[in-house]
Coordinates of all heavy atoms in Angstrom, one line a residue:
C263 N 159.6 -157.9 -122.7 CA 158.3 -158.4 -123.3 C 158.3 -158.2 -124.8 O 157.3 -157.8 -125.4 CB 157.2 -157.6 -122.6 SG 155.6 -158.4 -122.8
G264 N 159.4 -158.4 -125.5 CA 159.4 -158.3 -126.9 C 159.4 -156.9 -127.4 O 158.8 -156.6 -128.5
A265 N 159.9 -155.9 -126.6 CA 159.9 -154.5 -127.0 C 161.1 -153.9 -126.5 O 161.8 -154.4 -125.6 CB 158.6 -153.8 -126.4
I266 N 161.4 -152.7 -127.1 CA 162.6 -151.9 -126.7 C 162.2 -150.5 -126.4 O 161.3 -149.9 -127.1 CB 163.7 -151.9 -127.8 CG1 165.0 -151.3 -127.3 CG2 163.2 -151.3 -129.1 CD1 166.2 -151.5 -128.2
V267 N 162.7 -149.9 -125.3 CA 162.4 -148.5 -124.9 C 163.6 -147.6 -125.1 O 164.7 -147.9 -124.8 CB 162.0 -148.5 -123.4 CG1 161.6 -147.1 -123.0 CG2 160.8 -149.5 -123.2
H268 N 163.3 -146.4 -125.7 CA 164.3 -145.4 -125.9 C 163.9 -144.1 -125.3 O 162.7 -143.9 -125.1 CB 164.5 -145.1 -127.4 CG 164.9 -146.3 -128.3 ND1 164.0 -147.2 -128.8 CD2 166.1 -146.7 -128.6 CE1 164.7 -148.1 -129.5 NE2 165.9 -147.8 -129.4
E269 N 164.9 -143.3 -125.0 CA 164.6 -141.9 -124.5 C 165.2 -141.0 -125.5 O 166.3 -141.1 -126.0 CB 165.2 -141.7 -123.1 CG 164.9 -140.3 -122.5 CD 165.5 -140.2 -121.1 OE1 164.8 -140.5 -120.2 OE2 166.7 -139.7 -121.0
S270 N 164.4 -139.9 -125.8 CA 164.9 -138.9 -126.7 C 166.1 -138.1 -126.2 O 166.1 -137.8 -125.0 CB 163.8 -137.9 -127.1 OG 164.2 -136.8 -127.8
Q271 N 167.0 -137.8 -127.0 CA 168.2 -137.0 -126.7 C 168.0 -135.6 -126.9 O 168.8 -134.7 -126.7 CB 169.4 -137.5 -127.4 CG 169.7 -139.0 -127.1 CD 169.9 -139.3 -125.6 OE1 170.9 -138.9 -125.0 NE2 168.9 -140.0 -125.0
N272 N 166.8 -135.2 -127.5 CA 166.5 -133.8 -127.8 C 165.4 -133.4 -126.8 O 164.4 -134.1 -126.6 CB 166.0 -133.7 -129.2 CG 167.0 -134.2 -130.3 OD1 168.2 -134.0 -130.0 ND2 166.5 -134.7 -131.4
L273 N 165.5 -132.2 -126.3 CA 164.5 -131.6 -125.4 C 163.8 -130.5 -126.2 O 164.5 -129.6 -126.7 CB 165.1 -131.1 -124.1 CG 165.6 -132.2 -123.1 CD1 166.2 -131.5 -121.9 CD2 164.5 -133.2 -122.8
D274 N 162.5 -130.4 -126.1 CA 161.8 -129.3 -126.7 C 161.6 -128.2 -125.6 O 162.2 -128.2 -124.6 CB 160.4 -129.7 -127.3 CG 159.5 -130.3 -126.2 OD1 159.8 -130.2 -125.0 OD2 158.5 -130.9 -126.6
E275 N 160.7 -127.2 -125.9 CA 160.6 -126.1 -125.0 C 160.1 -126.5 -123.7 O 160.2 -125.7 -122.7 CB 159.7 -125.0 -125.7 CG 158.2 -125.4 -125.8 CD 158.0 -126.3 -127.0 OE1 159.0 -126.6 -127.8 OE2 156.8 -126.7 -127.2
T276 N 159.4 -127.6 -123.5 CA 158.9 -128.0 -122.2 C 160.0 -128.5 -121.3 O 159.8 -128.5 -120.0 CB 157.8 -129.2 -122.4 OG1 158.5 -130.4 -122.8 CG2 156.8 -128.8 -123.4
G277 N 161.1 -129.0 -121.8 CA 162.2 -129.5 -121.0 C 161.9 -131.0 -120.5 O 162.6 -131.5 -119.7
I278 N 160.8 -131.6 -121.0 CA 160.4 -132.9 -120.6 C 160.8 -133.9 -121.7 O 160.4 -133.7 -122.9 CB 158.8 -133.0 -120.4 CG1 158.4 -132.0 -119.4 CG2 158.5 -134.4 -119.9 CD1 159.0 -132.1 -118.0
A279 N 161.6 -134.9 -121.3 CA 162.0 -135.9 -122.3 C 160.9 -136.7 -122.8 O 159.9 -137.0 -122.1 CB 163.1 -136.8 -121.7
R280 N 161.1 -137.2 -124.0 CA 160.1 -138.2 -124.6 C 160.7 -139.6 -124.5 O 161.9 -139.8 -124.6 CB 159.9 -137.8 -126.1 CG 159.3 -136.5 -126.4 CD 159.4 -136.1 -127.8 NE 158.9 -134.7 -128.0 CZ 159.1 -134.0 -129.1 NH1 159.8 -134.5 -130.1 NH2 158.5 -132.8 -129.2

Side-chain angles (χ1 to χ4, degrees):
C263 202
I266 187 168
V267 180
H268 299 89
E269 185 177 272
S270 173
Q271 302 304 288
N272 303 326
L273 293 179
D274 62 13
E275 68 280 359
T276 68
I278 306 297
R280 298 166 181 165

